């Protein structure tokens, strides 16, 4: 393929514009993702319990089934959903994992 300099410059310019568009799209997606994460920040333990219970309901998992999946008693699950501070942290992690909720510390 023989290209003259004008063709090469035009193609490079087009590729540069396309890359610029991709960079803008990635930056916008990153901003949207950051905003979504900010909206999901939990500031109180009661919110965590409510979120876990909401997730359980969305998945249509009853307490007895969740008890079998996690080994955590129904009474402890109820306490956890009401106020996670009332149960061991390992229990909270087990239930969150079973429900597919990823927990991470705020920085």
């Amino acid at each position: 393929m023989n290209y003259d300099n004008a063709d090469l410059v035009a193609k490079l310019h087009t590729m540069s514009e396309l890359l610029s568009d991709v960079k803008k799209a990635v930056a916008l997606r990153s901003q949207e993702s950051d905003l979504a994460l900010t909206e999901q920040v939990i500031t109180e333990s009661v919110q965590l319990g409510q979120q876990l219970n909401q997730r359980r309901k969305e998945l249509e998992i009853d307490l007895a089934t969740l008890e079998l999946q996690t080994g955590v008693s129904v009474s402890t699950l109820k306490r956890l959903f009401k106020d996670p501070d009332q149960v061991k942290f390992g229990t909270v992690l087990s239930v969150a994992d079973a429900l597919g909720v990823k927990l991470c510390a705020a920085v």
Side-chain angles (χ1 to χ4, degrees):
M1 289 186 187
N2 285 333
Y3 293 108
D4 63 15
N5 284 342
D7 286 341
L8 288 174
V9 168
K11 289 183 187 272
L12 287 173
H13 181 69
T14 301
M15 289 173 53
S16 176
E17 288 176 348
L18 290 171
L19 283 173
S20 179
D21 290 345
V22 169
K23 286 180 185 178
K24 289 176 186 174
V26 168
L28 180 61
R29 182 66 55 108
S30 177
Q31 290 173 348
E32 291 171 354
S33 178
D34 290 346
L35 180 59
L37 286 174
T38 301
E39 291 174 354
Q40 295 178 4
V41 171
I42 296 173
T43 57
E44 297 180 20
S45 64
V46 173
Q47 289 176 305
L48 174 59
Q50 292 169 348
Q51 182 181 356
L52 291 174
N53 198 30
Q54 180 63 35
R55 178 69 176 158
R56 176 189 67 84
K57 291 176 182 178
E58 289 169 359
L59 295 171
E60 298 179 358
I61 299 173
D62 60 61
L63 290 174
T65 302
L66 190 56
E67 177 183 32
L68 290 172
Q69 289 176 335
T70 61
V72 176
S73 71
V74 170
S75 62
T76 302
L77 289 170
K78 288 179 180 179
R79 283 195 322 265
L80 183 150
F81 295 143
K82 186 174 180 180
D83 183 6
D85 286 339
Q86 296 180 11
V87 299
K88 293 179 182 177
F89 186 67
T91 301
V92 175
L93 290 177
S94 295
V95 172
D97 187 48
L99 296 174
V101 175
K102 301 297 180 203
L103 301 178
C104 60
V107 180

